[in-house]
Amino acid sequence: MAEIQLRNISKRWGSFVGVNDFNLSIDDKEFLVLLGPSGCGKTTTMRMIAGLEDATEGDILINGARVNDLEPKNRDVAMVFQSYALYPNMNVYENIRFPLRVRGIDPALHKERVMQAAERVELLDFLDRKPAALSGGQRQRVALARAIVRKPKVFLMDEPLSNLDAKLRVSTRAQIKNLSHDLAATTIYVTHDQIEAMTLADRVVVMKSGVVQQVGSPTEIYDTPANTFVASFIGSPAMNLIDGELMNGKFSAPNVEITGLIGRNGKVTLGFRAEDASVVEQCSEMNAPIYTLELLGDATMVSVRIGGQLVAVKADKTFRSDIGDQVSIHIPADHCHLFDAETGLRIQK
């Protein structure tokens, strides 16, 4: 069992603030993803939990006990790094076994524990190989097995898939998800890849410049982003955002007019997802020439320029047209999001 609480955690180096007043409770067995661009503070947060960085302010509790002053080895956490961090002179078996030796686990238990961990990540046929003889995906699986073999309370994973190619990322991501379910351990996972976050997480913490922007399930983050940063960071493609004015329920911008909206009058940013709009023969909501067309296989992505911004809409895979052709785009009012033009915060309906 491992419940983690972060209370008013901050990390500063001189005048630079890496993490600012971070508060969160992480449930036992929860898979939590820290998501954000480079430099947002997500890895620093994880390193403070691990004990690799000291918190400037605040308390870190594991199962109710404050661990700020404990050495990393005494926090019962296992960390998987982006760089694998394997010992090149040891074979796979010894790499996986190493944490057991360091922690003084009874040697009689080593072989059984190593074999169990290797079997979980499908490495039984590679135990005699050195890391140099392994592919990137196999090396990452060794790093996972080395974390598993300890049976820690908490798994910390720092962008473990970043060095893998696209196909390996998909298969290894599925393996991590399955392992998390089988091991029933609390997992904190750091990534800048929103697809990883959406597919792996029970909850996602979106960060920017050391500040938490939103915490919620992948569905909540996707369907009701708290601000324009979250809206523009989550989704592939990201949510379309158009600056304009709302007056008596009607949103107006160049080549855009949408009625039936609920919100206060004034300057706003309107958002909608590509899959929530459609290309139609004629409508008054949005009319513009096609900027580009992309065939995705299951759909055709149609992009137009509105007020200097690209707006993407998913059309049927059979849709055919040419760049420069005028198109009409239907945007249902009940699929629109409104944000404050100055603060970027979501306007509640």
Side-chain angles (χ1 to χ4, degrees):
M1 176 178 175
E3 182 184 34
I4 301 170
Q5 291 178 299
L6 306 178
R7 296 179 179 173
N8 306 109
I9 293 295
S10 294
K11 179 63 180 180
R12 292 191 294 272
W13 293 271
S15 60
F16 177 77
V17 179
V19 177
N20 187 39
D21 198 25
F22 192 116
N23 284 278
L24 188 68
S25 291
I26 304 165
D27 294 334
D28 179 42
K29 302 178 184 177
E30 181 175 15
F31 198 118
L32 183 92
V33 173
L34 302 177
L35 173 68
S38 298
C40 72
K42 56 189 186 295
T43 295
T44 300
T45 301
M46 174 177 283
R47 289 175 64 85
M48 286 191 286
I49 295 170
L52 301 176
E53 294 280 358
D54 293 327
T56 308
E57 294 173 357
D59 297 315
I60 302 168
L61 290 84
I62 298 179
N63 290 335
R66 187 177 184 274
V67 299
N68 291 52
D69 301 324
L70 290 183
E71 293 293 321
K73 64 181 181 180
N74 297 324
R75 298 192 185 194
D76 200 11
V77 302
M79 197 159 182
V80 180
F81 297 92
Q82 175 183 346
S83 60
Y84 316 136
L86 303 180
Y87 298 101
N89 59 318
M90 297 182 185
N91 63 20
V92 169
Y93 182 93
E94 291 299 330
N95 263 285
I96 297 173
R97 181 188 176 203
F98 188 77
L100 302 179
R101 293 170 54 195
V102 170
R103 298 179 73 83
I105 304 296
D106 183 356
L109 301 175
H110 287 195
K111 184 174 181 179
E112 180 184 0
R113 295 269 288 269
V114 171
M115 298 303 280
Q116 285 176 347
E119 185 177 14
R120 281 186 180 275
V121 295
E122 302 173 18
L123 283 173
L124 289 177
D125 295 334
F126 303 92
L127 293 176
D128 293 329
R129 294 192 188 181
K130 297 284 183 67
L134 301 175
S135 68
Q138 289 164 345
R139 291 179 198 177
Q140 192 55 275
R141 278 150 52 196
V142 176
L144 287 170
R146 190 175 56 189
I148 291 166
V149 78
R150 281 185 44 200
K151 299 182 179 179
K153 292 178 182 175
V154 182
F155 287 106
L156 304 176
M157 300 189 182
D158 187 11
E159 306 216 34
L161 308 184
S162 293
N163 290 340
L164 305 182
D165 62 39
K167 185 177 180 181
L168 270 176
R169 277 202 301 272
V170 172
S171 59
T172 310
R173 188 171 71 216
Q175 196 164 44
I176 288 173
K177 181 78 169 179
N178 184 266
L179 274 173
S180 173
H181 179 269
D182 284 352
L183 297 171
T186 306
T187 303
I188 302 173
Y189 186 105
V190 161
T191 184
H192 64 272
D193 187 323
Q194 53 95 14
I195 295 176
E196 284 180 28
M198 299 294 282
T199 54
L200 288 171
D202 296 321
R203 279 193 302 163
V204 179
V205 179
V206 184
M207 300 182 68
K208 176 189 177 186
S209 303
V211 178
V212 173
Q213 303 294 304
Q214 187 172 1
V215 181
S217 69
T219 300
E220 290 168 343
I221 297 285
Y222 189 84
D223 289 344
T224 55
N227 54 42
T228 50
F229 173 78
V230 177
S232 63
F233 197 78
I234 300 293
S236 182
M239 181 178 286
N240 297 303
L241 297 172
I242 303 170
D243 293 328
E245 189 167 2
L246 186 68
M247 188 63 64
N248 300 325
K250 182 172 76 172
F251 174 84
S252 300
N255 301 315
V256 182
E257 187 175 287
I258 302 171
T259 58
L261 299 172
I262 299 172
R264 60 179 180 268
N265 292 343
K267 293 187 181 300
V268 298
T269 299
L270 178 131
F272 65 92
R273 297 281 182 194
E275 66 269 23
D276 291 332
S278 55
V279 178
V280 295
E281 286 190 9
Q282 188 173 4
C283 71
S284 60
E285 287 137 26
M286 182 181 292
N287 290 276
I290 294 175
Y291 182 78
T292 188
L293 291 165
E294 299 170 272
L295 182 60
L296 306 178
D298 63 337
T300 300
M301 192 70 72
V302 180
S303 296
V304 300
R305 290 190 75 90
I306 297 293
Q309 295 175 292
L310 279 180
V311 171
V313 179
K314 276 189 177 180
D316 189 84
K317 64 181 180 180
T318 61
F319 177 81
R320 294 292 181 269
S321 195
D322 293 315
I323 292 175
D325 288 352
Q326 193 80 7
V327 291
S328 294
I329 296 171
H330 172 57
I331 309 164
D334 57 356
H335 284 89
C336 289
H337 307 256
L338 294 174
F339 303 92
D340 186 282
E342 291 186 10
T343 65
L345 294 175
R346 181 181 189 81
I347 297 173
Q348 300 300 327
K349 295 182 180 180

